[in-house]
Amino acid sequence: MEHMSGPYVIRGSVALPEAELVWRFSRSSGPGGQHVNTTDSQVELRFDLARTGALPEVWKQRALRRLAPRLTDGVVSVRASEHRSQWRNRETAAVRLAALLAEATAPPPAPRRPTRIPRGVNERRLREKKQRSEVKRTRSGRNWT
């Protein structure tokens, strides 16, 4: 079998550990004509997120929390069947898993600090409103024939 083009980097120097990836192959319903009926080209890639030692503990807890709806007994699963080739589907599944873990382990965004509106801006807005209302008020008293 051909060698995978890994390592699949999650973030920084942390990558998916080849030894902890579990591959399963089955017949795909995707493109391929008669070829589909004879080749196990669909790929299911499983990664035991709960028991892995490859991720820092903080990342692991964050990923477990964010991916909770997708997990089955702490295992995250990704499928790929877009391509006719099993090798290309393996690549797609591994890249997809790495991207999923990268997103799930990302630090939370910094909290938004509300900005104060400068007093000058507020005063200018009120002054312009007053001028506009004055223009409209003076219009209504005239007879525009």
Side-chain angles (χ1 to χ4, degrees):
M1 186 170 90
E2 298 173 47
H3 182 68
M4 298 292 288
S5 67
Y8 297 99
V9 176
I10 296 172
R11 193 170 337 104
S13 62
V14 179
L16 282 174
E18 280 292 328
E20 294 184 26
L21 300 178
V22 179
W23 300 91
R24 206 177 109 212
F25 309 101
S26 58
R27 294 206 174 120
S28 176
S29 63
Q34 292 176 337
H35 177 74
V36 164
N37 302 328
T38 60
T39 310
D40 290 341
S41 60
Q42 177 172 291
V43 173
E44 182 181 358
L45 175 57
R46 297 168 59 87
F47 178 66
D48 194 343
L49 185 58
R51 292 183 188 85
T52 187
L55 296 176
E57 193 58 34
V58 176
W59 288 17
K60 185 160 65 167
Q61 294 308 317
R62 196 180 293 152
L64 284 168
R65 204 172 41 253
R66 289 181 181 169
L67 296 176
R70 280 193 70 146
L71 298 177
T72 307
D73 297 328
V75 177
V76 64
S77 177
V78 173
R79 279 194 178 162
S81 62
E82 296 85 52
H83 308 288
R84 286 182 59 166
S85 149
Q86 185 189 96
W87 185 82
R88 285 180 66 194
N89 281 331
R90 284 176 64 119
E91 289 289 310
T92 303
V95 167
R96 201 175 287 166
L97 178 63
L100 182 70
L101 289 174
E103 187 177 330
T105 59
R112 183 186 173 278
R113 291 204 341 250
T115 56
R116 270 184 50 118
I117 299 171
R119 190 187 320 158
V121 170
N122 225 2
E123 287 174 353
R124 186 176 336 125
R125 180 181 62 84
L126 293 173
R127 189 172 52 248
E128 287 170 3
K129 275 182 74 167
K130 198 171 278 186
Q131 285 172 352
R132 184 76 184 144
S133 73
E134 183 65 25
V135 165
K136 289 186 171 195
R137 194 177 60 76
T138 56
R139 264 190 212 154
S140 63
R142 294 210 178 137
N143 190 2
W144 298 93
T145 52

